[in-house]
Amino acid sequence: MSNELIEIDANALRNLLKHHQMSQYDLAARLDISTKTIQRWMNQSIRRVKPETIEKLFEVLGPTADKIKRDSPVLSLRPTDKAVAEICSERSFQSIRLTDDWKRYLEILKSIHTDTLSTEQCFVISRNIGISSFYLGKFQAAKIHLSKAFKYAEILQNEDHLGDVRNWFARLEEAVGDLVKADDYLNQNQQNLAKITRPSVLAEYSYVRGRVHLHRWQNAEAEGQLRQGLLTTLKARSKPYPLLIAWMYMHLAHLYLRTKNYPKAQSCARRFLNTAERCGWGRGILLANYYLGIVEEFKNGPSPLSSQYFGKARLMHRCTLESRYCPLLSQAEFIYFILKGRYNEARTVLAHRLFKNRNAEFYLASTTIDGLLLAKLNPSGHGIRQSIVNKAKEYYRTQNMAYPQSLIQKLEERAQVTPQEIAAFYYY
């Protein structure tokens, strides 16, 4: 069951009880809860309940109980609440993205009562709750709130809002591993690109489309989309979106690493670092130093320069309190450990990744390939269950991703992989 709470419409519940000729006491007895709880629902001192409570209401009141869920918003033209506007402003939201303080931000957003707000502000709150839930790994909650945001966007008939939510739905489906559904949302946006005016929405579309191409190992298409996203942000009349620019440079660095184009990978990693430093994004600076070290080591072998980059990354990693799990950061740390031959530490990172990625099939499958590589690098000390490998194979087969399937086969055929072959066998 989801931990997400659903808001109750007290008037609709009151009308349903009257229709069924049922008292509050009768309902409490049927639900096996106290009458005081029902009274709190009616006076709105309790506004939200668990999904399982809604299901019990369905059993007692029948299908018409669906009316008590407040999931069908109507247009509201109330004045803008200035305090809410500040909390939900783009400036505040970008600040949260830079600090990764999603847990506190989510608590603040959920404390806001939307009853007295305009539809526009209700949209922004639902969108931001959905995105915060996404970054905290609460994928079901993210889907609920993004769906609510989409309904508000439909009421407002705002194509920018609709495109924005579709982009985040695509990100969500990509994270859980359903690239087909991610494509569906992106294709809907593609059909409406001419109606979208906000550069950030257009750039985000190119960015997410590029990520999906990367997952499918469609390198040329991924490069084109990521560079289109960069061009869109840099040509925008308004202030560019530095964090989105940084992410696009990072994924371009990934792309060039996989194609062994180390000069371009190094150039993109440096631009990633420069952009992260300019906007004060700590996790980005940390990631950039890891990847600059990785590129240098793959290009020239262990050197003072790679040690310098890795040293900065390790120092920042120890001094940084991670408020959320980041698959790419965990992956970068894993690469660092296997390059340094520190296989026990690599195994610890890998175990943590497997646990954290259990609800995200794409990341779980790619972590499995890392586990297989580690087992071949150190056959006497590490192994991976065949059932986990078979699950990754099945995922890649259903998603029609040929390259990782062939890579798993190559690794399985090898008795051992040498440290010098890591660049050839690593899956980005």
Side-chain angles (χ1 to χ4, degrees):
M1 287 290 183
S2 169
N3 291 324
E4 186 57 40
L5 299 181
I6 298 172
E7 191 169 355
I8 280 183
D9 186 326
N11 289 330
L13 179 58
R14 191 175 290 109
N15 291 335
L16 276 174
L17 290 179
K18 185 177 180 180
H19 174 75
H20 287 280
Q21 297 182 341
M22 187 181 294
S23 68
Q24 293 182 21
Y25 176 82
D26 295 332
L27 180 62
R30 297 281 296 276
L31 295 176
D32 195 23
I33 59 178
S34 69
T35 308
K36 285 186 177 180
T37 299
I38 306 297
Q39 291 171 349
R40 291 189 182 111
W41 292 353
M42 294 302 190
N43 63 28
Q44 292 286 274
S45 59
I46 294 179
R47 293 171 176 266
R48 298 178 177 89
V49 299
K50 294 180 179 179
E52 44 264 48
T53 303
I54 294 292
E55 290 180 8
K56 289 180 181 177
L57 282 166
F58 286 173
E59 293 174 6
V60 173
L61 300 174
T64 51
D66 192 58
K67 295 178 181 178
I68 71 170
K69 294 195 300 181
R70 284 197 168 178
D71 59 355
S72 300
V74 294
L75 181 64
S76 170
L77 300 176
R78 293 186 176 96
T80 299
D81 185 307
K82 292 183 179 180
V84 173
E86 176 59 28
I87 292 169
C88 296
S89 68
E90 191 63 25
R91 181 175 61 83
S92 296
F93 184 69
Q94 291 302 324
S95 175
I96 298 300
R97 293 189 77 174
L98 291 172
T99 59
D100 279 325
D101 195 4
W102 295 106
K103 185 175 181 181
R104 185 176 67 89
Y105 189 55
L106 185 60
E107 290 172 353
I108 292 171
L109 292 173
K110 285 193 170 184
S111 70
I112 299 172
H113 291 165
T114 58
D115 301 359
T116 59
L117 299 180
S118 67
T119 303
E120 179 70 29
Q121 288 196 306
C122 288
F123 162 78
V124 177
I125 289 172
S126 296
R127 168 194 180 266
N128 289 3
I129 290 178
I131 295 171
S132 302
S133 300
F134 166 77
Y135 279 126
L136 291 170
K138 300 178 179 180
F139 296 140
Q140 188 59 37
K143 188 172 292 187
I144 290 171
H145 287 286
L146 287 174
S147 297
K148 190 179 291 187
F150 194 81
K151 290 178 181 178
Y152 285 125
E154 286 182 318
I155 291 170
L156 292 165
Q157 298 182 344
N158 188 313
E159 287 294 337
D160 287 337
H161 289 348
L162 290 168
D164 185 28
V165 177
R166 288 192 197 104
N167 284 337
W168 283 104
F169 267 127
R171 286 286 308 276
L172 176 62
E173 296 298 345
E174 175 222 340
V176 300
D178 195 332
L179 301 186
V180 175
K181 282 188 178 179
D183 268 337
D184 287 342
Y185 286 113
L186 293 169
N187 290 339
Q188 289 175 45
N189 263 358
Q190 188 176 25
Q191 294 168 9
N192 292 278
L193 284 182
K195 301 176 184 177
I196 297 173
T197 59
R198 277 177 52 195
S200 61
V201 178
L202 294 169
E204 191 87 35
Y205 162 79
S206 294
Y207 168 61
V208 182
R209 180 72 86 180
R211 287 174 64 112
V212 173
H213 282 312
L214 273 175
H215 296 334
R216 291 201 170 104
W217 216 260
Q218 297 165 339
N219 296 328
E221 294 88 342
E223 182 180 19
Q225 286 292 340
L226 291 169
R227 291 201 172 278
Q228 178 60 46
L230 283 170
L231 185 64
T232 302
T233 56
L234 295 173
K235 287 175 67 176
R237 293 182 181 179
S238 57
K239 186 178 178 181
Y241 308 92
L243 195 140
L244 182 57
I245 292 172
W247 272 124
M248 286 189 277
Y249 277 130
M250 200 219 76
H251 284 292
L252 281 170
H254 253 199
L255 187 154
Y256 294 129
L257 267 171
R258 67 163 52 162
T259 56
K260 310 298 184 291
N261 190 335
Y262 297 130
K264 282 192 174 182
Q266 192 172 54
S267 174
C268 288
R270 283 176 178 162
R271 292 184 181 186
F272 175 34
L273 176 61
N274 292 338
T275 308
E277 286 179 335
R278 281 199 300 271
C279 62
W281 181 32
R283 184 160 56 94
I285 297 169
L286 171 57
L287 265 169
N289 277 291
Y290 266 128
Y291 280 104
L292 282 166
I294 291 166
V295 173
E296 176 64 24
E297 193 130 331
F298 283 167
K299 184 181 177 184
N300 299 316
S303 68
L305 187 56
S306 66
S307 297
Q308 180 181 330
Y309 286 130
F310 282 141
K312 288 180 181 177
R314 295 306 296 165
L315 180 62
M316 287 191 69
H317 212 144
R318 285 192 292 270
C319 298
T320 301
L321 179 63
E322 294 181 43
S323 58
R324 74 174 183 87
Y325 170 71
C326 175
L328 292 172
L329 180 55
S330 186
Q331 180 192 40
E333 187 179 29
F334 174 82
I335 301 173
Y336 164 75
F337 282 136
I338 61 173
L339 285 173
K340 297 304 177 185
R342 294 160 62 172
Y343 299 137
N344 287 332
E345 289 161 291
R347 183 182 182 182
T348 300
V349 171
L350 191 73
H352 182 65
R353 286 172 66 192
L354 286 170
F355 174 75
K356 285 291 187 177
N357 291 329
R358 64 194 185 279
N359 296 323
E361 284 190 281
F362 170 77
Y363 291 111
L364 183 63
S366 59
T367 303
T368 301
I369 296 180
D370 283 358
L372 190 56
L373 175 60
L374 179 60
K376 299 301 180 178
L377 282 167
N378 188 28
S380 61
H382 301 96
I384 186 166
R385 290 201 303 270
Q386 188 61 42
S387 60
I388 298 177
V389 177
N390 290 340
K391 189 174 181 180
K393 286 181 184 178
E394 179 62 17
Y395 167 73
Y396 288 128
R397 187 190 65 77
T398 57
Q399 294 295 320
N400 197 27
M401 298 167 70
Y403 181 81
Q405 292 181 70
S406 66
L407 183 58
I408 291 175
Q409 183 178 345
K410 288 177 184 177
L411 284 168
E412 287 185 315
E413 290 171 354
R414 294 287 295 266
Q416 189 170 2
V417 171
T418 66
Q420 292 74 29
E421 294 176 301
I422 289 175
F425 281 97
Y426 198 82
Y427 177 64
Y428 296 96

